Amino acid sequence: MAKFNVKLRQNNHGADLGADRIVTAEGAPGFARDPRTALFLLGVSNMVGEDTFYEGAAGRDTRFRELVADVAVTDPEWFARFVPWLRTGAMLRSASVVAALEGARAQVTAGIPGSRAIVDAALQRADEPGEALAYWLGRYGRAVPKPVKRGIADAAVRLYHERSLLKYDSDSSAVRFGDVVDLTHPTAKNGRQGDLFRHALDRRHQRDNPIPASLELLTARAELMALPVEQRREITDPAVLGAAGMTWEALAGWRQTAMDATAWEAIIPSMGYLALLRNLRNFDQAGVSDAVAESVAARLADPTQVTASRVLPMRFLSAYNAAPSLRWAYPLERALQHALANVPALDGRTLVLIDTSGSMNSGFSKDGTLRCWDAATVFGLALAARARDATVVSFSNATRVFPAVAGESVLAAVRRFKDGGYFYGGGTETEKAVRAHYDRHDRVVILTDEQAHWHGSTDVAAAVPEQVPVYTWNLAGYRVGHTPTTGNRHTFGGLSDAAFRMIPLIEAGSREQWPF
């Protein structure tokens, strides 16, 4: 969903906390981070324009822009690797768009080359050139620097085709495909794309020109749209709908009726992996046949499709929670196991601490389907499942060991974690949890927002010998952390299997701190 490319957008969010004291939000002594680490942590957890438990959207976004401007100039080589990874590795759209544009602005001012390629790399979906342009126009006006303009144009050439025009060129957007063509002047890669660019301009300016003959898919869609409403419901051939680029989102409006089983079964063959994952509940409510459901389940559990989809593991938990039918449980469990294939198998003994304090009950994303503690639990249990000997602990004011069950899937373990009352919702007594449960483990992993309470300790990892690594995954990217990032104390942001691969790399002697 667009965050910048919308009409009549208003921002009434509050301001930042404003205090410069080096303490956590709960008053414990905190540790400032160097700019690259601070940008990394905030970038991988920044949904842009959204409040978090301890930090308002306005202050958080300002901090992000300032860090981007700093690092883009002081370390352009690192920044040039960070932004593409933020989009394609961490899979964060809004944060990567803002980082690319704000970084480009700072680099243009400083006379540093290379921002055109960074802008291009940050835009990976066909609505994102318009999203990027809308952000720039809304913040800085129509004076668009050449590297920004050319980077957006490069992305448009790469991403604009007939299907993307139908899916993303909406009159609800402030910046249309035609506006991107008008303002950035992309050079079409062939005559067919040139026709598409001209047609996008015609659509934008409401010119009554015929669809170019080379655009066969758009012609087929126009023919379907011209059918009387009473005839549209008779079109149930998946091949006909597919040839016209019909999506599941567009089908209900075109038919002007609710999506019944017949409609879903007609469009399911052309749906993408994530679209299937999002609609399992709708399939059940419409009464999709078992035969069709089996084909969907087979696609969901296909390891090749899981890998190609790049769906984050939390999506499978969200679908699992939403789908009412047991026929989806097993394929979703298999899909999650495939998605977690890159989580490293850890030797030795591992202590995994999952923060289930009240602030971790905040939304992990804007739709609120998953909480921060849901995401932490998925990854904590997945890491434990891959470890040779793991101790999993839920901690807040109280602590409790979560016992392992041999052969249990990660999703089943998550359900048992929830049903067993392991989500506490109290304060964040991290230091107490470490002291209570560290017992000659070979490493400690803490999944938290780092906003520890003050109980007289200066470092939540002080109970762990210096030679034992402590890995903190920060889910919120707040300015102040609970432990210094030095020596054997490592802090990461966000949650992805790519980040977890850093554990064996560090322990093998590598000191590269970034998963890109």
Side-chain angles (χ1 to χ4, degrees):
M1 185 177 70
K3 288 202 174 181
F4 314 120
N5 193 11
V6 293
K7 295 181 179 178
L8 301 177
R9 177 175 174 83
Q10 293 181 338
N11 189 341
N12 297 317
H13 291 292
D16 196 2
L17 294 176
D20 292 327
R21 295 175 301 144
I22 306 301
V23 294
T24 70
E26 294 293 348
F31 299 86
R33 312 183 196 280
D34 69 90
R36 288 194 312 182
T37 302
L39 177 58
F40 177 81
L41 287 173
L42 183 55
V44 297
S45 54
N46 189 18
M47 298 301 175
V48 182
E50 296 181 22
D51 295 322
T52 58
F53 192 88
Y54 290 111
E55 192 172 21
R60 190 175 176 86
D61 292 346
T62 297
R63 182 161 64 92
F64 186 60
R65 291 193 300 270
E66 291 172 349
L67 285 168
V68 165
D70 181 353
V71 176
V73 172
T74 58
D75 197 341
E77 188 276 333
W78 183 93
F79 187 76
R81 291 185 290 120
F82 169 66
V83 173
W85 176 85
L86 189 63
R87 180 62 183 89
T88 60
M91 301 295 287
L92 290 171
R93 297 180 60 237
S94 299
S96 57
V97 168
V98 173
L101 297 182
E102 295 289 348
R105 180 172 181 264
Q107 290 181 340
V108 168
T109 300
I112 298 173
S115 51
R116 172 181 180 174
I118 295 174
V119 171
D120 178 28
L123 309 178
Q124 294 295 321
R125 205 172 75 177
D127 59 334
E128 291 172 4
E131 185 85 341
L133 195 55
Y135 177 87
W136 188 276
L137 295 174
R139 189 158 193 86
Y140 299 114
R142 296 180 66 86
V144 184
K146 284 185 179 180
V148 173
K149 186 180 295 186
R150 290 172 179 169
I152 294 174
D154 292 343
V157 171
R158 180 165 44 85
L159 298 169
Y160 282 8
H161 48 73
E162 290 178 81
R163 290 185 184 274
S164 63
L165 183 83
L166 287 173
K167 186 174 179 65
Y168 295 115
D169 186 39
S170 167
D171 59 9
S172 64
S173 298
V175 177
R176 302 280 299 275
F177 276 39
D179 295 314
V180 173
V181 173
D182 243 343
L183 294 173
T184 68
H185 308 294
T187 301
K189 57 188 173 184
N190 53 40
R192 186 175 182 182
Q193 191 176 58
D195 289 343
L196 180 74
F197 287 170
R198 285 187 289 276
H199 181 65
L201 288 168
D202 288 342
R203 282 167 59 105
R204 180 65 179 95
H205 299 295
Q206 300 180 336
R207 298 167 184 157
D208 193 20
N209 292 329
I211 298 173
S214 65
L215 306 180
E216 297 175 356
L217 186 143
L218 294 181
T219 300
R221 173 66 73 88
E223 290 173 354
L224 286 185
M225 297 303 296
L227 289 175
V229 172
E230 58 272 13
Q231 294 182 22
R232 296 178 184 180
R233 297 166 196 169
E234 300 173 5
I235 308 298
T236 59
D237 185 344
V240 172
L241 297 175
M246 188 67 74
T247 63
W248 70 270
E249 298 99 328
L251 186 60
W254 176 67
R255 297 173 83 243
Q256 295 189 23
T257 187
M259 293 283 285
D260 56 17
T262 300
W264 279 117
E265 290 173 5
I267 201 65
I268 280 174
S270 62
M271 291 174 68
Y273 190 92
L274 183 55
L276 294 175
L277 197 63
R278 287 173 170 170
N279 281 288
L280 300 181
R281 176 190 292 273
N282 291 331
F283 299 160
D284 286 339
Q285 290 178 340
V288 166
S289 70
D290 288 341
V292 172
E294 287 175 6
S295 70
V296 173
R299 288 182 62 189
L300 292 178
D302 183 342
T304 302
Q305 293 205 38
V306 172
T307 300
S309 72
R310 306 205 61 172
V311 172
L312 293 175
M314 287 83 71
R315 291 278 192 183
F316 297 107
L317 176 59
S318 182
Y320 182 80
N321 290 338
S325 172
L326 291 178
R327 64 184 178 182
W328 309 120
Y330 182 58
L332 287 174
E333 288 184 346
R334 292 180 61 197
L336 177 57
Q337 293 304 122
H338 296 318
L340 293 171
N342 289 327
V343 173
L346 301 177
D347 59 9
R349 300 179 63 236
T350 305
L351 175 60
V352 180
L353 296 166
I354 301 173
D355 180 355
T356 59
S357 62
S359 59
M360 290 287 286
N361 192 25
S362 57
F364 193 68
S365 61
K366 190 172 184 177
D367 63 14
T369 55
L370 285 181
R371 322 306 291 170
C372 283
W373 61 21
D374 291 323
T377 302
V378 169
F379 277 98
L381 295 180
L383 196 66
R386 295 280 288 158
R388 189 178 74 184
D389 183 2
T391 304
V392 178
V393 175
S394 172
F395 76 92
S396 179
N397 298 116
T399 66
R400 185 179 173 193
V401 173
F402 181 71
V405 173
E408 185 178 43
S409 71
V410 173
L411 283 178
V414 170
R415 182 174 61 240
R416 183 165 59 89
F417 193 97
K418 180 179 180 180
D419 293 345
Y422 286 87
F423 291 125
Y424 285 119
T428 311
E429 299 194 21
T430 316
E431 182 265 348
K432 174 182 174 182
V434 173
R435 290 191 179 278
H437 296 281
Y438 177 75
D439 182 18
R440 300 186 298 278
H441 291 87
D442 296 293
R443 68 188 62 82
V444 178
V445 177
I446 308 173
L447 299 150
T448 179
D449 60 9
E450 291 198 271
Q451 299 312 293
H453 284 257
W454 167 237
H455 288 290
S457 174
T458 58
D459 181 357
V460 299
V464 182
E466 289 185 5
Q467 69 272 20
V468 176
V470 177
Y471 304 95
T472 296
W473 259 269
N474 182 308
L475 278 73
Y478 292 120
R479 179 172 59 91
V480 175
H482 67 192
T483 189
T485 307
T486 58
N488 259 336
R489 305 299 185 251
H490 309 280
T491 303
F492 301 93
L495 288 173
S496 71
D497 53 8
F500 279 114
R501 292 200 299 271
M502 297 306 295
I503 293 179
L505 287 177
I506 290 173
E507 293 181 4
S510 170
R511 280 298 173 261
E512 178 60 56
Q513 295 278 325
W514 320 111
F516 48 82

